[in-house]
Amino acid sequence: MKRMDQARIDAVLNYIKSKEKPGQGNERVKEIVNRMLKDLFNMMADLDITSEEMWHACDFLGEIGRNGEWGLVFAGTGIEHFIDVKMDWEDEQAGIHAKTPRTIEGPLYIEGSPVSKSYAELETEPEPNAERLYMSGIVKDENGNPVEGAKIEVWHCNTKGLYSHFDSTQPRFNLRRAIITDKDGKYEFKSFVPVGYSCPPGGSTDTLMALLGRHGSRPAHIHFFVTAPGFRKLTTQINIEGDPLTYDDFAFATREDLVPHVKRIPADQAAAYGKNEAFAKIDFDFNLIKDAENIPAGENHRSHANI
């Protein structure tokens, strides 16, 4: 079919824009919505998108909201990853070279995790038969100096691939803790080697991934926020080395520098590390960027689920 003529598309766009009242409303919102409509209308013409397809899309967008899956859709379509890539580019323009890469937050953070000094055990409810994990390291500044009093918020899923709060069977704040670094910038936590998770079966994101010919699963990973007075917030996560989906993450979050080596310590060597059981060991340092007015912000003030 012949493409709808551009003059007619532009006339509709101009008619819509003509209803704006000068000096009223928000100029940034006007700019974004007008550009979005321009791109959408031209896409509809280019791809001959039908009215039936558009109303199906309207229904699907509403379903995503009712299911509370917009955070997953942002991750699964690569929007959240592109936000990171754009922020990396902004850092490059400002001459900033972060030693610890940022990567996506995901939609499953909860505020208010229990706080401890230097060391934490993440399990409120121990996972039976899981492989114990001890992860430790130092929070440093750009010059490698330790940062005392940094706050590391850490969270991950259980062995069923479910997160506390969103999974009502788990205790409050299970596998969610906040650790304040000591004078040497050190932290350590005990947990277990997590597994990956998949989008809710039959949910909006799962449906969209299937239509795109993709899966909706993530590799095993652990999330972090790292903050300290005078420093930019770091949002990142590590992947568990050896997971088959590490480089096939539906959320595009894997970054090479965020796949640390996992060292397995047998029970007969555990005492040398001050432990009394076989465990997996991860050493990982976080490097923070000193905050300044002329650099891109680390905080995006996105909303989070209420506790």
Side-chain angles (χ1 to χ4, degrees), residues 150-170:
K151 182 180 182 180
I152 302 172
E153 295 178 80
V154 51
W155 68 102
H156 69 78
C157 65
N158 66 6
T159 53
K160 296 179 181 177
L162 301 174
Y163 286 78
S164 61
H165 179 83
F166 301 94
D167 171 25
S168 61
T169 68
Q170 296 184 53

Side-chain angles (χ1 to χ4, degrees), residues 160-231:
K160 296 179 181 177
L162 301 174
Y163 286 78
S164 61
H165 179 83
F166 301 94
D167 171 25
S168 61
T169 68
Q170 296 184 53
R172 193 181 191 203
F173 295 119
N174 188 41
L175 304 174
R176 299 177 185 274
R177 295 292 188 271
I179 307 166
I180 306 300
T181 58
D182 65 14
K183 61 182 179 61
D184 297 316
K186 293 181 179 179
Y187 76 92
E188 182 180 37
F189 65 82
K190 177 185 179 182
S191 189
F192 58 87
V193 178
V195 299
Y197 72 82
S198 297
C199 297
S204 305
T205 314
D206 186 52
T207 298
L208 179 59
M209 293 300 104
L211 290 169
L212 293 172
R214 293 173 46 202
H215 68 76
S217 298
R218 297 212 59 205
H221 59 280
I222 303 174
H223 293 270
F224 299 95
F225 285 157
V226 188
T227 54
F231 291 88

Side-chain angles (χ1 to χ4, degrees), residues 13 17 20 29-38:
L13 289 166
K17 190 172 182 180
E20 296 175 2
V29 172
K30 292 178 185 179
E31 178 184 33
I32 292 171
V33 170
N34 286 326
R35 173 58 186 269
M36 179 182 68
L37 292 175
K38 178 181 178 180

Side-chain angles (χ1 to χ4, degrees), residues 32-228:
I32 292 171
V33 170
N34 286 326
R35 173 58 186 269
M36 179 182 68
L37 292 175
K38 178 181 178 180
D39 291 347
L40 176 61
F41 291 175
N42 278 282
M43 180 182 71
M44 291 171 66
D46 291 341
L47 302 180
D48 191 25
I49 299 175
T50 66
S51 62
E52 183 174 6
E53 288 172 324
M54 285 301 297
W55 286 112
H56 277 311
C58 181
D59 292 341
F60 185 62
L61 295 178
E63 177 189 295
I64 294 171
R66 289 189 296 274
N67 290 345
E69 291 193 30
W70 270 114
L72 286 174
V73 169
F74 260 48
T77 55
I79 294 172
E80 193 170 6
H81 173 59
F82 182 73
I83 290 171
D84 283 344
V85 171
K86 184 174 181 293
M87 292 173 72
D88 288 346
W89 175 82
E90 291 168 350
D91 279 355
E92 291 171 9
Q93 304 309 299
I96 297 169
H97 303 284
K99 293 181 180 179
T100 304
R102 63 167 55 88
T103 195
I104 73 168
E105 173 188 327
L108 301 170
Y109 168 78
I110 297 295
E111 295 178 343
S113 296
V115 181
S116 60
K117 184 71 178 289
S118 185
Y119 174 80
E121 296 189 359
L122 306 193
E123 296 170 277
T124 306
E125 180 180 79
E127 286 280 348
N129 304 316
E131 182 182 17
R132 294 302 108 196
L133 169 68
Y134 286 87
M135 179 168 169
S136 61
I138 302 172
V139 176
K140 302 177 180 179
D141 65 16
E142 294 150 293
N143 298 315
N145 302 308
V147 179
E148 180 181 3
K151 182 180 182 180
I152 302 172
E153 295 178 80
V154 51
W155 68 102
H156 69 78
C157 65
N158 66 6
T159 53
K160 296 179 181 177
L162 301 174
Y163 286 78
S164 61
H165 179 83
F166 301 94
D167 171 25
S168 61
T169 68
Q170 296 184 53
R172 193 181 191 203
F173 295 119
N174 188 41
L175 304 174
R176 299 177 185 274
R177 295 292 188 271
I179 307 166
I180 306 300
T181 58
D182 65 14
K183 61 182 179 61
D184 297 316
K186 293 181 179 179
Y187 76 92
E188 182 180 37
F189 65 82
K190 177 185 179 182
S191 189
F192 58 87
V193 178
V195 299
Y197 72 82
S198 297
C199 297
S204 305
T205 314
D206 186 52
T207 298
L208 179 59
M209 293 300 104
L211 290 169
L212 293 172
R214 293 173 46 202
H215 68 76
S217 298
R218 297 212 59 205
H221 59 280
I222 303 174
H223 293 270
F224 299 95
F225 285 157
V226 188
T227 54

Side-chain angles (χ1 to χ4, degrees), residues 109 246 278 291:
Y109 168 78
T246 293
D291 205 2

